[in-house]
Structure formats: C-alpha cells, structure tokens
Amino acid sequence: MGILINLIQSIISKLFAGNTTKFISVVTAMLQNKEGGLAAILEQFQKQGMGHLTSSWVGTGENADVSEEQLQQGLGQDKIQELIKSTGLSEQDLLAKLKEHLPKIIDKLTPEGKLPE
C-alpha cells in the first residue's frame, strides 16, 4: 500500500506543480481510503450510469470532461460534505478543483488503462 500512496502523492504534486495544499492531502486520502479508494470511486460513478466518464479517465485515450453535477452524483453528497469539511473549501471551489483535476489524477494513476494493484 505504501507504494500506491507514494505514487498518488507524486502524481498529485506534479499536477499541482509541487504546491502541497490541503486539497492534495485530502484527495490523496480519498484515493487510498480503506473503503476501496480509487476502485470504489470508479464503481460509484459506474453505478450512477457514468461509467463512460471513468472509463475514459482510466483508458489510454482522451479524458472525458465531468461536470460539477456529475461529480456530486458520482461521489455522493456525503463524500462532498466530507471533502468540504476536510479541505475548508466552499462547495463551489471544491467541485471546480475536482472537475479540473480528478480526471487527470485518475488518468495518471492508470497509465496502462488499468487500476494499480
């Protein structure tokens, strides 16, 4: 698990040009969460009928854009509220950051089109 944590932190830090904000820590924690992390997030989106989005993020082609509404639906309001509390960001700011960065982060974590072990 330590290798995956280091990989996640490295990718997120590169995407944020080394800026180690609270957001980075929270996203890292979310992706390595005990309840399944990255795999669970992808599964939640799939259950909400948005598997086409996550498939593009994991796949080797272009990443599909995600809307703030789709993020709310895919992550669920409880997770959104937890992230707001953890980051100190407003809901609008959190969703904007997730919209911009979550597809890129997942794409970088799955460079060969499959989940890391």
Side-chain angles (χ1 to χ4, degrees), residues 18-36:
N19 182 5
T20 54
T21 64
K22 183 78 169 174
F23 179 77
I24 294 170
S25 301
V26 170
V27 170
T28 300
M30 178 179 73
L31 293 173
Q32 64 179 357
N33 190 299
K34 295 183 275 299
E35 288 92 37

Side-chain angles (χ1 to χ4, degrees), residues 45 50 53 57 65-73 95 99:
F45 273 86
M50 294 180 283
L53 293 176
W57 304 343
D65 291 332
V66 63
S67 71
E68 293 175 4
E69 293 80 20
Q70 289 170 319
L71 284 166
Q72 287 176 311
Q73 186 180 357
L95 290 172
K99 178 182 173 181

Side-chain angles (χ1 to χ4, degrees), residues 26-94:
V26 170
V27 170
T28 300
M30 178 179 73
L31 293 173
Q32 64 179 357
N33 190 299
K34 295 183 275 299
E35 288 92 37
L38 177 58
I41 290 169
L42 297 175
E43 185 178 329
Q44 283 178 249
F45 273 86
Q46 199 161 23
K47 284 181 182 177
Q48 295 297 321
M50 294 180 283
H52 64 286
L53 293 176
T54 57
S55 292
S56 76
W57 304 343
V58 172
T60 57
E62 288 286 314
N63 291 333
D65 291 332
V66 63
S67 71
E68 293 175 4
E69 293 80 20
Q70 289 170 319
L71 284 166
Q72 287 176 311
Q73 186 180 357
L75 293 173
Q77 198 56 38
D78 289 345
K79 177 60 76 182
I80 295 293
Q81 291 304 313
E82 178 184 320
L83 294 171
I84 289 169
K85 185 176 180 180
S86 297
T87 61
L89 295 170
S90 69
E91 184 170 346
Q92 182 179 358
D93 289 344
L94 173 73

Side-chain angles (χ1 to χ4, degrees), residues 1-26:
M1 189 66 142
I3 294 171
L4 180 58
I5 294 167
N6 291 337
L7 178 63
I8 292 169
Q9 289 172 334
S10 173
I11 289 168
I12 293 172
S13 292
K14 285 178 186 174
L15 287 173
F16 282 89
N19 182 5
T20 54
T21 64
K22 183 78 169 174
F23 179 77
I24 294 170
S25 301
V26 170

